[in-house]
Amino acid sequence: MTDAPLIAILDDEPEIRRLLSAALEEAGFRTVGFARATEFEAALRRIQPDACLIDLGLPDRDGLALVHRLASESGAAIIIISGRAQVQDRVTGLELGADDYIIKPFEPAEVVARIRARLRRPQRDAGPGRQQVRFAGWSADFDRYTLTSPEGAETPISHAEAEVLRLFLDNPRRLISRAQMLETLGGTAGESFDRAMDVRISRLRTKLGEDPKNPRLIKTIYGAGYIFLAELG
Amino acid sequence: MTDAPLIAILDDEPEIRRLLSAALEEAGFRTVGFARATEFEAALRRIQPDACLIDLGLPDRDGLALVHRLASESGAAIIIISGRAQVQDRVTGLELGADDYIIKPFEPAEVVARIRARLRRPQRDAGPGRQQVRFAGWSADFDRYTLTSPEGAETPISHAEAEVLRLFLDNPRRLISRAQMLETLGGTAGESFDRAMDVRISRLRTKLGEDPKNPRLIKTIYGAGYIFLAELG
DNA sequence: GACCCCTGTAACAATTCGTAGGATTCGGGA
DNA sequence: TCCCGAATCCTACGAATTGTTACAGGGGTC
C-alpha cells in the first residue's frame, strides 16, 4: 500500500536501463528492467508497475502495439521513450494511449519529474486487488459491492449504482455534466435514457442517506449536471 | 450543455492564442483565452476549465507561482508552454505541479494530442473546496451552493444566483454595467433577457436579507448598472 | 416453474428560472 | 416643488429540468 512506486523499464540497451534505474532509485522509486517485450509481458502477470517506461523501436515486437494493449488493459502510467523525433510519431504515440512521450537523448532528471507528474494523479488501477475507497466517513467496496456507513452499517449496492459512485469518486468536487455521465456509463445519447440516470442517482442518494431537501454529498446543478462533495481518504 | 471539454489558454501573444484555439476547436474542444494572469484568475471563479495551457514568462506575474497555486487548488490539467528549454526549467515546472511541459515553438497537433492524453485519465482531486469567499460577515460556498449569514444561518442558492454573486465577488466596489453582466453570464444580448437579470438580482438580494428600500450590499446605480459593496476577506 | 433482485420506463410531484405585466422609483425640466 | 417618461423592482405564471415512486420485463437461483 505504502510501498515505493514501482517503475518498469523496457529498453534493449543495457546502458540506458542502468542510467534510468539509477536515477529513479535515487529519486525513491523501485525499478525493474526488461530487454525484450516478451519478457516484459510475461512479468506483467506477476508484477503491477505504477508506471512503464517503454522504448519504441524494440527488436522483437512493434512497440506501439504494446503501448496500445497496455493502455487499455493496465492502469499504469505509460511513458514512451523514443529516438524518433517527428511530430507525427509523438502524436500517434499519445493517441494510442501513452501518457507522455520523451525524446532521446533525454535527461534523467526530466524523466523523473515527468514520472512524478504522472503519479501525482490517482491511478485507475485495473487489477483485481482490493477496490476500497473511503469518503466522508463512508467506505465503498467495489469488490463486494457494499457501502458502509460512518456508523458501520453495511448495505449492498448494485452494479449500476457502483458505476455512478465510481464516476463520482474519480471526479470529486468537479461538475459532471449529464452528457459526460451518459458517455462514461455507456448510455447511447438522447432518448429517455437520461431518465435512467436520474433514477440511478436517486437510488444511490437514498442508500447514502441523503436528505432529499438538502443533499450533502451529491448535489445537483440545475441545467448543468452534478457535483460530488466529499473528501477522499 | 457542457459536453466538450473546456480548455483555458493563457498567453500574452494574441497570435499564439489564435493558433492554439483554432487547433483545439478543430479537435472538438471549447476554448477560452486570456492575455493576463489577473484576468485569468478572476475568471477561474466563474468557469471551470478541464485543462489550462499556460505560457510562462507573462508580463504581469510570475508564471510558476500561478502554476503552483492552480495545481493545489484546481482540478484542471495544467500544461506549461514555454520558450525556456533548459532541463532545469522543465523539472521545476513539473515539480511545481504542472502535468506537462511543452517547448516553443510547438506543433499544434502535438499540443492537442498531449491534452487528450491528460484528459483520458481521471482528474486530480480538486482540493478541499477552495471555492469559499467571505464578505461582510457572510460566507459563500460555491461548491455546496450555500450562503451562510453572519448569524450562521445557511440557505441554499441556485446556480443562477451563484453566477451573479460570483461576478460581484470578482469585481467588488466596481460598477458593473448591464451589458457587462449579460456578456459574462452568457445571455445573448438585447431582447428582454435583461429582465431575467433583474429577477436574478432581486432573488439574490432577498437571500442576502437586503432591505428593498435601502440595500447595503448590492446597490443599483440608476441608468448605469450595479455595485457590490463589501470588504472581501 | 416460483421467487427475488436488478434496472429501465412511465407518470406525477417538486424545483428552477425566464417572461410578462403592473407597481414603484429615479432624474430632469417646468 | 410638482410632473412625466424611463429605468428598475416585484409578483405571478408557465415551460423546462429534475426527483420520486410504482410497475413491468429480464436474468439468475433454488
Side-chain angles (χ1 to χ4, degrees):
Chain A
M1 217 70 171
T2 50
D3 272 341
L6 176 64
I7 317 294
I9 303 169
L10 175 57
D11 197 308
D12 55 335
E13 300 174 51
E15 183 55 35
I16 302 227
R17 287 205 304 276
R18 250 211 349 262
L19 182 67
L20 282 172
S21 68
L24 288 167
E25 284 174 10
E26 173 77 19
F29 296 109
R30 294 177 297 145
T31 66
V32 52
F34 304 93
R36 297 167 197 282
T38 48
E39 287 174 23
F40 175 59
E41 292 188 277
L44 277 185
R45 301 198 189 132
R46 281 177 287 110
I47 65 176
Q48 195 171 357
D50 296 284
C52 303
L53 288 173
I54 297 180
D55 179 24
L56 288 190
L58 293 162
D60 64 339
R61 203 173 194 296
D62 178 19
L64 284 178
L66 173 61
V67 166
H68 187 49
R69 208 169 66 76
L70 267 182
S72 56
E73 294 178 6
S74 156
I78 300 165
I79 298 174
I80 292 178
I81 294 183
S82 167
R84 306 174 63 177
Q86 295 302 309
V87 170
Q88 193 48 50
D89 296 324
R90 277 178 273 171
V91 170
T92 55
L94 292 166
E95 295 287 0
L96 276 177
D99 294 293
D100 209 336
Y101 195 110
I102 300 175
I103 296 171
K104 285 185 188 174
F106 56 81
E107 200 68 42
E110 182 175 359
V111 175
V112 170
R114 285 188 180 270
I115 288 179
R116 282 224 183 90
R118 293 300 147 268
L119 297 184
R120 263 199 303 267
R121 291 186 175 269
Q123 296 295 308
R124 189 207 300 276
D125 74 312
R130 233 152 290 147
Q131 301 237 29
Q132 285 190 15
V133 187
R134 299 174 157 276
F135 60 95
W138 292 80
S139 170
D141 188 323
F142 290 105
D143 290 325
R144 303 195 303 124
Y145 283 90
T146 57
L147 202 53
T148 308
S149 79
E151 294 78 25
E154 191 177 277
T155 50
I157 54 175
S158 73
H159 183 62
E161 288 153 5
E163 269 187 320
V164 178
L165 182 55
R166 212 194 288 257
L167 178 61
F168 279 138
L169 289 170
D170 280 344
N171 302 32
R173 260 155 296 148
R174 298 187 89 246
L175 184 106
I176 304 174
S177 70
R178 278 182 130 63
Q180 244 173 301
M181 285 199 142
L182 292 178
E183 190 185 348
T184 309
L185 304 186
T188 48
E191 305 168 43
S192 65
F193 178 78
D194 54 348
R195 273 288 106 89
M197 286 296 329
D198 295 344
V199 180
R200 285 188 181 193
I201 288 181
S202 171
R203 284 169 182 155
L204 183 56
R205 275 211 255 235
T206 44
K207 292 203 176 171
L208 283 170
E210 292 278 70
D211 174 14
K213 294 288 186 182
N214 183 27
R216 296 182 189 187
L217 292 171
I218 303 176
K219 207 105 181 178
T220 142
I221 311 300
Y222 183 94
Y226 297 91
I227 283 188
F228 182 71
L229 299 167
E231 299 287 338
L232 300 200
Chain B
M1 228 128 201
T2 47
D3 14 10
L6 177 64
I7 317 293
I9 303 168
L10 175 57
D11 196 308
D12 55 336
E13 299 174 54
E15 185 53 37
I16 301 224
R17 286 205 304 276
R18 260 223 323 276
L19 182 66
L20 283 172
S21 68
L24 288 168
E25 283 172 11
E26 174 76 21
F29 295 108
R30 294 177 299 142
T31 68
V32 53
F34 304 92
R36 298 166 197 282
T38 48
E39 286 174 23
F40 174 59
E41 291 189 277
L44 276 185
R45 298 211 185 129
R46 223 173 305 118
I47 64 176
Q48 194 173 14
D50 296 283
C52 304
L53 288 173
I54 297 180
D55 179 24
L56 288 191
L58 293 162
D60 64 341
R61 203 172 195 297
D62 177 20
L64 284 177
L66 173 61
V67 166
H68 186 51
R69 208 170 68 74
L70 267 183
S72 55
E73 294 177 8
S74 155
I78 300 164
I79 298 173
I80 292 179
I81 294 182
S82 167
R84 305 174 64 178
Q86 297 302 309
V87 171
Q88 193 48 50
D89 295 324
R90 276 178 275 171
V91 170
T92 56
L94 292 166
E95 295 286 358
L96 275 177
D99 294 291
D100 209 336
Y101 195 110
I102 299 175
I103 296 171
K104 286 185 188 174
F106 56 82
E107 199 69 40
E110 182 175 359
V111 175
V112 170
R114 284 187 179 271
I115 288 179
R116 283 224 183 89
R118 293 300 147 270
L119 296 184
R120 263 199 303 267
R121 300 233 168 220
Q123 298 295 302
R124 177 199 303 125
D125 190 323
R130 202 32 156 171
Q131 304 251 50
Q132 283 189 16
V133 188
R134 300 175 156 277
F135 60 95
W138 291 81
S139 170
D141 188 323
F142 291 105
D143 288 324
R144 304 183 30 235
Y145 282 88
T146 57
L147 202 53
T148 308
S149 78
E151 294 78 25
E154 192 178 276
T155 50
I157 54 176
S158 75
H159 186 57
E161 288 153 5
E163 270 187 318
V164 178
L165 181 55
R166 239 192 278 236
L167 178 61
F168 280 137
L169 290 169
D170 284 344
N171 305 55
R173 260 152 314 177
R174 216 177 317 162
L175 182 96
I176 303 174
S177 71
R178 278 182 132 63
Q180 240 173 304
M181 286 198 143
L182 293 179
E183 188 186 350
T184 309
L185 302 186
T188 48
E191 305 170 42
S192 64
F193 178 78
D194 54 348
R195 275 295 126 71
M197 286 299 327
D198 296 344
V199 180
R200 283 189 182 193
I201 289 181
S202 169
R203 284 170 181 153
L204 183 56
R205 276 211 254 236
T206 32
K207 293 205 175 169
L208 282 170
E210 292 277 71
D211 174 15
K213 297 286 189 181
N214 183 27
R216 296 180 192 185
L217 292 171
I218 302 177
K219 209 112 182 178
T220 140
I221 311 298
Y222 186 90
Y226 297 91
I227 277 190
F228 182 71
L229 299 167
E231 298 288 338
L232 299 202

